[in-house]
Amino acid sequence: MIDSPSMKILSGSTSNNYNTCGATEPVLHNRSQDGEESNEDRACLAQSDPPSDQPEEDHGHTPKGTVFGTYINILKNIVGAGMLSIPYVFSLAGWGMAMGLMFAMQFAAITNLYFIMKTCDMIRGMGYDASSYKGMAIAAWGSKAGKATDAVIGLYTGSTLITYGILVVEFFQTPLRGPDQIPHWVGSKPIILLACSVILIMLCSMKKIEGLKFTSVFGNASLLYAAILVFYKFTTSDNAGSVEAFEQGAGVLQALSMLVFSYNFHYNMPTYYNDLQDRSVKKMIMIVIAVYVTVSTMYIVIGMSGYLLYGDKVKSNIIKSMADGTEVTIARIVLGVMIVFTYPVVQFATRGAVARNFDVAETSIFLAFIIVAVTLLLSAVIPNIGIVLGYNGAIFGVAQHYFIPSLSFYKISGMPENQGIVPQKYRTGALVVCGAGIVVGILGLVGTTINITSGNSR
């Protein structure tokens, strides 16, 4: 999904507390390419020695996350403006197939989250950073894998920024073209994107994101209003299109890749798990199950309401399907404002990943400008968010949802120091999950492409 204003902000990767190793994440115990510690790795590890009164395996970190607080944080991490695309998913697959795919994606998601948690437990005991995806990759495969993981996260969040550019036009265009006293050109796509680019560059030039924390409450309230509006329209309006329980063809495959996106918060799991008080895999799994039950309930309500209301005519942004009216105009404006203030929060994560890979300062205004320019230019030529969500889920979503957890788990659990900790059947299961990810990624990629070329993308 496109994430909420609290979206995917890692306590390590978005901090501005630089250490002398030049990273903005917790200092990592890295290995060089031949598996041995480099001089730089030893220096960084020496700087990260924890205070004597803290458990050494936690690197001085004291977990503070409560069960309820973790539940809320994960829930906000998953549910965002992309929730408005769920009715479109139902139209692609049919309501029965969509719900079946949802439960399958939940099972896959929980399985991979289990792999992440077990991997974190193992690498923590080995002296590696267990609070980030990058730390997992470095412990398993070395520093180049850490950079590759950063690249995946940067491309994943960068693709999300493209959807924000598309949405900001869709939300603001109709209100700006409505009043007769406003010239028609003011509501054109180029003008809206140009105006937003100026605002976004200023916001993205902020050195810290603490000033945007207020957007979390505003964003949640905006999404709640939009969801209630969809349900209200469903209960008070006539159906405008055909409805099927089970669809066939490429649309089902695109729905599959979009649902990968919809349940994905995996690269933040190391942070949440590391910060959970009295953590255990069982405890965190119960929290995750509670979150997914809540999320699926919300998805089913808005998905069924929107699909039954607009049928096969529903668009990938449900608000775009709605006829003009005061309540709809309010939704468009508040959601547009939400997107403008959410963009810098997500861009902060993108910028961090790019900066670490190219060894530039994360606070670089030039880098912020480049990211804004590239993402908004792409959003100007891509017709709808369904295209971005389909491709992002099939490529970068699958990479971080399936490949990184399963392969890291398989590699770490096979190391001599971890022999006997994990049953062999679990290691075999990790390879099966990785294989399933390849299938899901290919099917999603093919399905999305066919759906676009056949003119069925909305």
Side-chain angles (χ1 to χ4, degrees), residues 5 203-204 206 208-216 340-345:
L203 292 174
C204 291
M206 297 171 61
K208 296 184 179 181
I209 60 172
E210 283 76 7
L212 297 175
K213 284 184 176 180
F214 75 93
T215 62
S216 179
V340 169
F341 284 102
T342 301
Y343 184 106
V345 180

Side-chain angles (χ1 to χ4, degrees), residues 1-4 7-8 77-86 89 156 160 163-164 258-264 295 299 389 392:
M1 295 302 293
I2 304 172
D3 299 279
S4 63
M7 184 288 183
K8 304 197 186 298
N77 204 159
I78 296 174
V79 178
M83 180 177 68
L84 303 176
S85 71
I86 294 298
V89 170
Y156 175 83
T160 301
T163 65
Y164 285 172
M258 290 178 70
L259 286 172
V260 170
F261 207 103
S262 301
Y263 288 100
N264 192 8
V295 170
Y299 285 174
L389 295 178
N392 202 6

Side-chain angles (χ1 to χ4, degrees), residues 30-256:
N30 298 345
R31 288 180 295 173
S32 61
Q33 286 306 107
D34 59 3
E36 299 296 328
E37 295 174 20
S38 65
N39 291 332
E40 181 183 358
D41 296 334
R42 293 189 185 98
C44 288
L45 182 61
Q47 293 176 27
S48 66
D49 287 341
S52 59
D53 61 341
Q54 295 291 348
E56 184 174 355
E57 62 271 18
D58 272 355
H59 294 279
H61 172 72
T62 302
K64 297 180 181 180
T66 64
V67 170
F68 182 72
T70 303
Y71 165 85
I72 293 297
N73 285 333
I74 296 175
L75 182 64
K76 292 193 298 182
N77 204 159
I78 296 174
V79 178
M83 180 177 68
L84 303 176
S85 71
I86 294 298
Y88 179 63
V89 170
F90 274 58
S91 74
L92 291 173
W95 62 265
M97 178 69 77
M99 285 195 278
L101 292 176
M102 283 170 56
F103 291 121
M105 288 300 99
Q106 287 178 77
F107 177 77
I110 292 172
T111 300
N112 282 300
L113 290 169
Y114 170 83
F115 290 151
I116 292 170
M117 288 181 277
K118 292 297 291 185
T119 301
C120 287
D121 285 340
M122 287 186 284
I123 67 174
R124 187 180 297 108
M126 295 164 61
Y128 287 88
D129 170 46
S131 66
S132 73
Y133 239 31
K134 184 177 181 179
M136 281 174 42
I138 289 175
W141 308 101
S143 58
K144 286 188 177 180
K147 285 186 173 293
T149 299
D150 255 345
V152 169
I153 293 173
L155 291 166
Y156 175 83
T157 55
S159 297
T160 301
L161 296 177
I162 297 172
T163 65
Y164 285 172
I166 297 170
L167 284 172
V168 80
V169 172
E170 292 181 352
F171 288 142
F172 283 133
Q173 198 163 50
T174 301
L176 288 175
R177 284 181 171 177
D180 294 334
Q181 60 270 29
I182 298 179
H184 187 75
W185 59 266
V186 173
S188 65
K189 180 185 289 188
I191 294 300
I192 293 174
L193 289 176
L194 182 62
C196 285
S197 67
V198 175
I199 298 171
L200 292 175
I201 289 171
M202 290 190 294
L203 292 174
C204 291
S205 299
M206 297 171 61
K207 292 185 178 181
K208 296 184 179 181
I209 60 172
E210 283 76 7
L212 297 175
K213 284 184 176 180
F214 75 93
T215 62
S216 179
V217 175
F218 178 74
N220 293 336
S222 301
L223 291 170
L224 179 61
Y225 175 77
I228 293 173
L229 178 62
V230 173
F231 184 74
Y232 169 76
K233 290 288 187 180
F234 163 66
T235 59
T236 58
S237 305
D238 295 328
N239 181 274
S242 62
V243 174
E244 299 290 342
F246 297 94
E247 293 284 0
Q248 297 179 350
V252 177
L253 304 181
Q254 182 178 352
L256 179 66

